[in-house]
Amino acid sequence: MVSALTLLAVPTTQSFVLGDTTTEAHTVDRSVPQGSVLGPLSFVAYTDDISDVVERQHGISLHQYADDKHLFACARLDRIADLRRPLGDCMVSVKNWCASRRLQLNTNKTEAIRFGSRASINNSFRMTVH
């Protein structure tokens, strides 16, 4: 594993091509080779501490699989409104955590799903991630 991690720190250059235009080459001092088994493993290791933010700081449950993160919380019907603040605060922390690692939270793919009986679900529970 040490030799594999050394490979990650070897400087290389990278440029981008769009049509007939190629950008100037820039030095990349850390990377994972495309298609390498280290890519997913490195990403999981890089993002593993998100549980500290979600579970320990906010008490929200977290399920992780590869690059998907699912936050969930349960409440009785008469306490469902009490979830808005903790979930909202948690999402702000997750967004800040992403930014600190140069990751971007894709708010277009972020959604809240509410489960319950048809009679108990209404549209009054809305959350927005900015």
Side-chain angles (χ1 to χ4, degrees):
M1 187 72 162
V2 172
S3 62
L5 292 178
T6 303
L7 172 70
L8 301 178
V10 175
T12 187
T13 59
Q14 182 176 27
S15 61
F16 298 91
V17 178
L18 178 62
D20 294 336
T21 306
T22 302
T23 64
E24 182 181 321
H26 295 276
T27 301
V28 178
D29 57 3
R30 287 176 188 79
S31 67
V32 176
Q34 179 108 16
S36 165
V37 71
L38 291 175
L41 182 61
S42 298
F43 186 79
V44 168
Y46 188 62
T47 62
D48 186 57
D49 66 331
I50 191 152
S51 62
D52 292 338
V53 173
V54 175
E55 295 176 322
R56 290 187 183 95
Q57 290 180 17
H58 294 283
I60 304 293
S61 297
L62 174 71
H63 173 75
Q64 301 183 71
Y65 181 78
D67 64 343
D68 285 332
K69 313 294 185 218
H70 298 257
L71 286 62
F72 57 96
C74 300
R76 292 172 22 135
L77 184 58
D78 59 337
R79 303 291 304 222
I80 199 78
D82 295 343
L83 291 180
R84 280 187 199 171
R85 177 103 187 183
L87 285 172
D89 291 347
C90 185
M91 289 305 300
V92 168
S93 294
V94 167
K95 186 175 179 183
N96 292 339
W97 176 92
C98 287
S100 74
R101 283 155 182 77
R102 296 185 178 178
L103 299 171
Q104 185 175 7
L105 178 65
N106 188 343
T107 56
N108 292 329
K109 290 186 173 182
T110 303
E111 59 186 358
I113 302 172
R114 186 171 161 195
F115 296 96
S117 68
R118 187 174 295 212
S120 70
I121 296 178
N122 62 35
N123 292 327
S124 64
F125 189 81
R126 298 241 186 255
M127 292 189 68
T128 304
V129 180
H130 299 283

